[in-house]
Amino acid sequence: MIQTLLALVAGLFSLSAHAAGDSLKYCGEEAKPCLRYGVVVFQERCSLCHGSDGMGEGVLTLSMKEYPSSNLLEPRVTYDEASLRRAIHDGPAFAGMSPMMPPWGDELTVAQLDSVMMFVSYLRKETEAALKMVREVASTLEPS
């Protein structure tokens, strides 16, 4: 089971080059972080554990016994954007994070990291609008 997890995580890391090229498409020439790009990166990198809607119903979460809750609407560690960004960046090195959460700091660009943070923050504040955006963006993405 651990080998399967490692293979899936390795596959996610290989998406980095593809997703980095999308910052221009979603954020404009300045490659500034933006909410829509955050949804795309979330779908490509985070949905395996957090589910496509962030409610914790990802493939790994549901298939591995005793996998910790990954529902983003029930935060256990991150309560503001600064701690959310650190948790995404540092993974288990951030206080109280599950060891199952990979550190994304070396894999995501700044625009990707900040865009995902923006999306998760938006999901927590405006859940219905965020879920609508997730469904809209997900319908335009090619399966990975």
Side-chain angles (χ1 to χ4, degrees), residues 14 28 52 78 82 126 140:
S14 70
S52 62
T78 59
E126 300 289 335
T140 66

Side-chain angles (χ1 to χ4, degrees), residues 17 22 24 27 32 36 53 59 61-63 77 83 85 89 95 98 103 107 110 114 120 126-127 131 138 140-141:
D22 286 341
L24 180 63
C27 301
K32 293 180 182 176
R36 193 165 183 85
D53 59 4
V59 173
T61 307
L62 297 176
S63 64
V77 177
S83 63
R85 188 182 193 288
H89 185 276
S98 166
E107 298 297 322
V110 171
D114 289 342
V120 174
E126 300 289 335
T127 303
L131 292 176
T140 66
L141 297 175

Side-chain angles (χ1 to χ4, degrees), residues 27-39:
C27 301
E29 290 189 31
E30 299 84 24
K32 293 180 182 176
C34 70
L35 187 57
R36 193 165 183 85
Y37 189 38
V39 174

Side-chain angles (χ1 to χ4, degrees), residues 7-137:
L8 290 170
V9 171
L12 287 174
F13 290 148
S14 70
L15 292 170
S16 155
H18 168 67
D22 286 341
S23 63
L24 180 63
K25 177 180 174 184
Y26 291 102
C27 301
E29 290 189 31
E30 299 84 24
K32 293 180 182 176
C34 70
L35 187 57
R36 193 165 183 85
Y37 189 38
V39 174
V40 171
V41 175
F42 181 87
Q43 291 295 313
E44 292 178 347
R45 299 304 196 96
C46 309
S47 63
L48 190 62
C49 295
H50 294 286
S52 62
D53 59 4
M55 303 299 173
E57 297 178 348
V59 173
L60 289 181
T61 307
L62 297 176
S63 64
M64 292 181 69
K65 188 176 182 179
E66 298 182 30
Y67 198 94
S69 172
S70 61
N71 185 334
L72 294 173
L73 296 182
E74 299 172 355
R76 295 178 315 239
V77 177
T78 59
Y79 298 99
D80 59 22
E81 290 185 350
S83 63
L84 180 58
R85 188 182 193 288
R86 283 195 54 214
I88 296 167
H89 185 276
D90 297 345
F94 184 68
M97 290 298 297
S98 166
M100 302 300 276
M101 171 73 178
W104 291 103
D106 291 338
E107 298 297 322
L108 299 178
T109 66
V110 171
Q112 289 173 322
L113 182 68
D114 289 342
S115 295
V116 170
M117 182 273 305
M118 289 171 69
F119 167 68
V120 174
S121 180
Y122 184 62
L123 178 68
R124 290 177 175 171
K125 293 175 186 171
E126 300 289 335
T127 303
E128 291 303 317
L131 292 176
K132 182 178 177 182
M133 179 181 276
V134 163
R135 288 182 209 107
E136 176 188 315
V137 170

